[in-house]
Amino acid sequence: MKKIFILCAAIVVTIGTFSCTKLDVPVESQYVKSNFPVTDADYTALLGTIYSNLSSSYAVPYWRMQDMSTDEAILPARDGNFDDGGQYRQLHYHTWTFDHPNVIGVWQWGFGGINTCNRIISVINSSSSSAAKKASSIAEVKAMRALYLYFMMDLYGNVPIITDFPVTGQPATQSRAKVFAFIESELKAVLPLMPAKSSNATVNVSQYGRPTKGMVFALLAKMYLNSGVYTGTNRYQETVTMCDSVQANTNYYLDAKYRDIFLPTNGPAINETIFAVPYDQQIPGNQFTRFGFFYYLVQAYGFNVGLSIAMSTTPEFYNRFNIPGDDRTKTWLAGPQFYPDGNGGFTNQPVYYPAPNAATQINLNPTLTLTGLKPMDLGNDVLTSQSEGVRSIKYYPDVNIIQATRLNSNDVPVFRLADIYLMKAEALLRGATSTTINGETQTPLTLVNKLRTRAHAEAASSIDLNILLDERARELSWEAWRRNDLIRFGQFEKEYLLPVAGGKTDDLKMNTDPTRRLYPIPSTEIKTNPNLVQNPGY
């Protein structure tokens, strides 16, 4: 049920993509004024093009720019394999350029989504639908346009504000503060028309993966928390107000089991999800298992598909998972490996390497040791270097994965209640005034301990900003917020160099220039639009 909305949209988009030799035919594969839909199902299909675009790049290229540029995720080479032209080490060492494939592709993805939103708004405005239907549909589209623009502002800083379709002229770069103000005004304008999360499960299925009041509040909270970075003015009290606005809807609450939030079967039944990107075997985009699992464990987990063995986390990041009893530590594959028990835990049955080492238990070593022979390369020996690096199974491997696509069915959260708790806790630590919500006076300590209690981790006895940043790492790992967090905490330029074997030296050093807090405007865009101004440092 969680997939129907997006799947229908994808079908509508792809109809008519083939047999394009005859051009003088009526337009039937996308909605325009002459064939505009009238039913709710038609509207759903029309708006679904926004979401199929979102899912296409959120969990791989966009995620890489947000997490692989930090200590949270790394994709080292293995005797030259998986280097892919150096694009992953460029993310790790902050040496990307304006022609990096993710820099170009994510810009086109984000502004492609904005252009789709603008096109749909123009079609809706031209329709004969009722005023109420027009207003609610346009509000949904504008909320999604604001989300896309937020992604672009966060990554690239000073970007164009485009609201016309078709685009007239060549849009000019706008200051980050002006983009911030535009997004804020758009979100406030659509808020009254957004649906709220309901206690009715059927209603929530229809809303799932689409903007709600909770999503708007969460996005505003994220903007206000980072306002000092984006505009130079801190707005921590408004962060608290937006977090409280989410919590005021008691239909959002923490799920009993941390693991359930990220299973392949997740979806509308997850109570703390505020906004997520749906995925399944028909909705491409989630390939966490393909890039970040460990190949020799596939049969133990119930499938047999060729996968990469490359992506992991860094030792420094994994060292934060050090609280006794913490369920969140179980989202990593580290040390001797055992068969899973199907409930997010493990049995006592070891998993062995295949022949000729069938008696050797798989043992994943958190340490990453470079050979010094090739750039950011670990070597490729099965028993040693391939087993270096802790792998994430937060998005638990999907037994339905197939070789042809290697897709996961795990929906990927963008906003969830746990992040609301942590954002409010941080805003309070930074000087905002405590508030009472649902009869409870919340402090940073009580908010953090709500999450620790759910994870069966021992309670914190005190809290400060450093402890909070580590708590965000534990709770929100691989959810595409690490870069955002490190920039806000002034730690994005912190070096986390890897050891090199045999006393050799690593010729690659991290670029610690603060200009790397923004990605460059892609070379392809600068060449075609002289009104775009490149970011400093590029």
Side-chain angles (χ1 to χ4, degrees):
M1 287 296 294
K2 67 178 180 174
K3 314 299 185 186
I4 291 175
F5 172 69
I6 304 292
L7 180 57
C8 290
I11 293 171
V12 169
V13 173
T14 54
I15 293 173
T17 327
F18 307 101
S19 301
C20 295
T21 56
K22 185 177 180 182
L23 303 179
D24 55 340
V25 295
V27 176
E28 294 178 349
S29 59
Q30 71 179 37
Y31 289 123
V32 294
K33 185 176 179 180
S34 61
N35 69 338
F36 188 82
V38 293
T39 68
D40 287 344
D42 291 339
Y43 262 99
T44 295
L46 170 66
L47 271 58
T49 58
I50 300 168
Y51 303 98
S52 57
N53 180 78
L54 180 68
S55 61
S56 67
S57 291
Y58 184 81
V60 179
Y62 173 80
W63 178 89
R64 285 176 175 170
M65 292 179 79
Q66 294 288 17
D67 279 7
M68 287 182 63
S69 59
T70 74
D71 57 345
E72 189 168 283
I74 183 172
L75 208 166
R78 312 267 175 171
D79 197 23
N81 297 319
F82 314 110
D83 186 62
D84 291 352
Q87 58 177 299
Y88 312 125
R89 50 186 157 90
Q90 288 168 12
L91 289 173
H92 180 77
Y93 290 108
H94 294 188
T95 57
W96 54 76
T97 63
F98 53 45
D99 58 0
H100 187 281
N102 291 155
V103 168
I104 295 173
V106 170
W107 175 285
Q108 294 172 345
W109 165 75
F111 281 101
I114 291 169
N115 187 61
T116 296
C117 291
N118 292 335
R119 175 180 63 82
I120 290 173
I121 289 172
S122 70
V123 175
I124 294 173
N125 278 328
S126 301
S127 76
S128 58
S129 300
S130 68
K133 186 63 178 178
K134 282 185 180 183
S136 63
S137 297
I138 289 176
E140 178 179 347
V141 176
K142 285 187 174 181
M144 290 304 300
R145 184 175 67 183
L147 181 64
Y148 275 116
L149 189 55
Y150 172 77
F151 292 155
M152 297 298 97
M153 177 189 72
D154 183 68
L155 290 171
Y156 300 97
N158 307 317
V159 296
I161 299 172
I162 305 172
T163 59
D164 297 330
F165 183 86
V167 179
T168 56
Q170 293 180 308
T173 302
Q174 303 294 331
S175 71
R176 208 178 200 184
K178 187 172 182 179
V179 178
F180 180 102
F182 174 79
I183 298 171
E184 180 186 24
S185 65
E186 288 281 283
L187 292 173
K188 287 182 174 180
V190 303
L191 183 58
L193 294 171
M194 290 288 99
K197 183 173 182 177
S198 169
S199 59
N200 185 304
T202 302
V203 171
N204 289 330
V205 168
S206 67
Q207 293 177 353
Y208 184 72
R210 302 166 76 170
T212 59
K213 290 184 187 297
M215 183 268 229
V216 172
F217 289 138
L219 180 50
L220 284 170
K222 189 69 71 174
M223 290 177 61
Y224 293 146
L225 185 63
N226 290 280
S227 182
V229 174
Y230 297 147
T231 71
T233 302
N234 294 326
R235 299 174 69 174
Y236 298 129
Q237 198 63 49
E238 289 165 280
T239 305
V240 170
T241 300
M242 292 301 104
C243 291
D244 286 351
S245 297
V246 173
Q247 293 187 72
N249 186 339
T250 56
N251 293 310
Y252 294 113
Y253 54 92
L254 294 181
D255 292 88
K257 295 178 64 177
Y258 183 78
R259 164 67 73 202
D260 290 351
I261 306 168
F262 310 99
L263 291 175
T265 54
N266 64 358
I270 302 301
N271 301 295
E272 69 184 78
T273 298
I274 300 169
F275 182 77
V277 182
Y279 288 103
D280 66 13
Q281 297 300 319
Q282 287 75 45
I283 302 174
N286 182 346
Q287 295 185 321
F288 283 120
T289 297
R290 173 182 176 180
F291 293 109
F293 195 54
F294 189 68
Y295 172 74
Y296 302 105
L297 289 169
V298 294
Q299 291 184 347
Y301 279 74
F303 56 92
N304 189 14
V305 173
L307 302 169
S308 165
I309 48 84
M311 190 166 68
S312 68
T313 191
T314 65
E316 178 182 272
F317 189 81
Y318 178 67
N319 286 342
R320 292 177 172 85
F321 289 78
N322 55 4
I323 303 176
D326 194 340
D327 292 340
R328 297 170 298 188
T329 304
K330 299 175 184 177
T331 64
W332 300 98
L333 295 176
Q337 293 301 298
F338 299 86
Y339 275 80
D341 64 8
N343 296 309
F346 301 93
T347 68
N348 294 322
Q349 183 182 358
V351 182
Y352 296 104
Y353 275 102
N357 302 298
T360 303
Q361 186 178 7
I362 292 177
N363 185 40
L364 298 182
N365 182 358
T367 301
L368 299 170
T369 304
L370 303 179
T371 64
L373 302 176
K374 296 177 182 177
M376 206 173 86
D377 197 295
L378 301 178
N380 205 29
D381 181 80
V382 173
L383 292 177
T384 55
S385 57
Q386 279 193 17
S387 300
E388 288 191 340
V390 171
R391 271 65 165 189
S392 173
I393 54 169
K394 183 169 185 173
Y395 302 101
Y396 199 78
D398 188 349
V399 295
N400 295 313
I401 190 172
I402 60 173
Q403 181 65 42
T405 58
R406 292 178 283 187
L407 297 175
N408 282 45
S409 294
N410 319 60
D411 297 350
V412 178
V414 180
F415 300 112
R416 59 186 180 93
L417 186 61
D419 195 4
I420 295 297
Y421 288 168
L422 292 172
M423 286 195 287
K424 181 175 180 179
E426 182 180 336
L428 294 174
L429 286 172
R430 294 185 184 277
T433 302
S434 296
T435 58
T436 299
I437 183 70
N438 300 327
E440 175 192 13
T441 300
Q442 296 180 330
T443 68
L445 189 59
T446 60
L447 288 162
V448 167
N449 280 335
K450 285 176 183 288
L451 302 180
R452 289 202 178 188
T453 297
R454 190 263 297 277
H456 301 105
E458 64 183 22
S461 58
S462 63
I463 191 76
D464 59 23
L465 284 173
N466 289 330
I467 294 173
L468 184 80
L469 181 59
D470 285 348
E471 197 67 29
R472 289 190 63 82
R474 285 184 283 266
E475 180 68 29
L476 302 170
S477 65
W478 286 38
E479 292 184 49
W481 290 117
R482 184 63 172 169
R483 170 184 165 275
N484 182 280
D485 290 344
L486 291 182
I487 290 172
R488 189 173 64 257
F489 278 78
Q491 296 188 26
F492 188 60
E493 294 79 39
K494 181 180 178 181
E495 292 187 279
Y496 34 90
L497 299 179
L498 303 177
V500 185
K504 300 182 179 69
T505 58
D506 182 11
D507 293 332
L508 298 176
K509 301 295 181 183
M510 181 174 289
N511 183 347
T512 58
D513 191 328
T515 59
R516 294 287 148 162
R517 296 174 190 175
L518 292 179
Y519 285 99
I521 309 300
S523 57
T524 51
E525 306 302 321
I526 293 287
K527 290 176 182 177
T528 57
N529 183 357
N531 292 330
L532 296 177
V533 178
Q534 185 58 275
N535 288 324
Y538 298 99

